[in-house]
């Protein structure tokens, strides 16, 4: 069943080359939106755009590099004249006990999960003015609400995302721009590169982890609401993930 109101909307998804971003792109295309797929792995997003057809296009960009973010949104303005939906999804996490973690890892997580998200959001806002139902949604984490042992700095980046959205919502509400956070628990994706594959698989199996499509459904539900409705926050976790 098609959702209301997504046909011909223009969406930018960061981190669209895999996982939750890719799954959301597939759903939005199925709902009739135009989707700009953003990631660093050019071959992946180009192949996905090709598969999804004429309403998808691929733009390679590293969101942690501000000099790549400006041109990305200029291109969106030139191609579409504005933007309805931004999904800040690009993110990465390194797992380590805090005492063993390194400043290089801290910087990489903050540069993408926080600074990259801020750069994209700031560049997107002018393109959203005057477009009914415009919406910025960002993927945070259950770790951005409760913290997860072994992921302290990653969780700090996601707490930053939640805090930023709580304030941005107040700044943009009067302009009719909706601001939302989506907080998934464990999901079967490529996330968690520095965790041994077997350990990741065991944890996800034990929790019967979410599929990327489960999170994508939550995102699309929020996007598809009428312009007067803000779904401010969705926390979606595997039922067996009792904590955090
Ligand atoms: O993981 P993955 P997810 N510039 O690794 C992209 C959060 N989350 O779908 O650039 C641009 O498949 C990367 O693309 P590429 C998580 O924190 C997850 O799970 O080509 N793009 C890829 O498309 C994240 O915010 C779980 O390497 C950049 C995408 O990001 C979001 O979910 C639990 C980039 C990552 O896709 C999506 O991650 C949770 C950059 N600098 C929250 N750096 C979970 N999976 O369990 C990375 O609570 N990307």
């Amino acid at each position: 069943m098609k959702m209301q109101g997504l046909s011909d909307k223009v969406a930018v998804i960061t981190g669209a080359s895999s996982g939750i971003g890719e799954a959301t792109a597939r759903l939005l295309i199925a709902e009739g939106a135009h989707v700009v797929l953003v990631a660093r792995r050019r071959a992946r997003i180009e192949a996905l755009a090709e598969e999804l057809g004429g309403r998808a296009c691929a733009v390679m960009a590293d969101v942690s590099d501000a000099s790549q973010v400006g041109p990305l949104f200029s291109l969106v303005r030139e191609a579409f004249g504005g933007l309805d939906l931004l999904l800040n999804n690009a993110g990465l996490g390194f797992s380590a006990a805090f005492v063993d973690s390194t400043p290089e890892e801290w910087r990489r997580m903050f540069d993408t999960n926080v600074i990259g998200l801020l750069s994209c959001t700031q560049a997107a806002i002018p393109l959203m003015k005057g477009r009914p139902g415009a919406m910025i949604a960002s993927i945070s984490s259950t770790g951005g609400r409760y913290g997860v042992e072994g992921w302290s700095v990653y969780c700090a980046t996601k707490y930053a995302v939640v805090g930023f959205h709580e304030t941005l919502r107040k700044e943009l509400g009067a302009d009719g721009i909706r601001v939302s956070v989506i907080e998934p628990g464990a999901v079967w994706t490529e996330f968690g590169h520095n965790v041994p594959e077997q350990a990741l698989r065991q944890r996800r199996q034990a929790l019967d982890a979410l599929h990327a499509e489960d999170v994508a459904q939550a995102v699309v539900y929020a996007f598809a609401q009428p312009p007067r409705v803000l779904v401010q926050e969705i926390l979606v976790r595997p039922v067996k993930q009792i904590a955090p």
Side-chain angles (χ1 to χ4, degrees), residues 15 17-18 20 40-41 62-63 89 112 141 154 158 184-185 187 189:
S17 57
S18 57
I20 295 165
R40 295 164 303 178
R41 287 173 291 180
D62 179 341
V63 298
N89 166 75
T112 297
S141 173
Y154 171 73
K158 295 302 191 178
V187 193
T189 67

Side-chain angles (χ1 to χ4, degrees), residues 14-21 38-42 44 61-65 88-93 112-113 139-143 154 158 183-193 204 212:
T14 68
S17 57
S18 57
I20 295 165
V38 181
R40 295 164 303 178
R41 287 173 291 180
R42 182 197 290 275
R44 287 263 202 131
D62 179 341
V63 298
S64 70
D65 178 351
N88 284 312
N89 166 75
L92 75 162
T112 297
N113 302 3
I139 304 293
S140 177
S141 173
T142 47
Y154 171 73
K158 295 302 191 178
E183 297 153 330
V187 193
W188 285 102
T189 67
E190 296 173 16
F191 177 84
H193 304 281
R204 288 169 175 167

Side-chain angles (χ1 to χ4, degrees), residues 16-99:
S17 57
S18 57
I20 295 165
E22 178 184 340
T24 307
R26 291 180 184 284
L27 281 188
L28 284 179
I29 289 285
E31 296 298 330
H34 297 272
V35 180
V36 181
L37 309 164
V38 181
R40 295 164 303 178
R41 287 173 291 180
R42 182 197 290 275
R44 287 263 202 131
I45 48 173
E46 285 183 351
L48 183 60
E50 172 99 20
E51 182 198 328
L52 295 178
R55 275 181 289 106
C57 69
V59 180
M60 189 184 78
D62 179 341
V63 298
S64 70
D65 178 351
S67 73
Q68 298 183 31
V69 170
L72 160 66
F73 285 90
S74 300
L75 202 144
V76 172
R77 187 192 284 279
E78 279 159 33
F80 300 102
L83 177 65
D84 300 297
L85 309 169
L86 170 65
L87 179 64
N88 284 312
N89 166 75
L92 75 162
F94 295 101
S95 176
F98 179 66
V99 288

Side-chain angles (χ1 to χ4, degrees), residues 83 120-129 136 168 172 175 177:
L83 177 65
C120 290
T121 303
Q122 193 176 54
I125 290 167
L127 279 65
M128 292 182 152
K129 294 257 164 91
I136 298 161
L168 189 69
L172 298 185
D175 289 331
I177 300 177

Side-chain angles (χ1 to χ4, degrees), residues 93-96 150-151 191-201 203:
F94 295 101
S95 176
W151 294 89
F191 177 84
H193 304 281
N194 78 326
V195 181
E197 205 182 314
Q198 201 192 351
L200 264 183
R201 197 175 330 110
R203 174 175 152 77

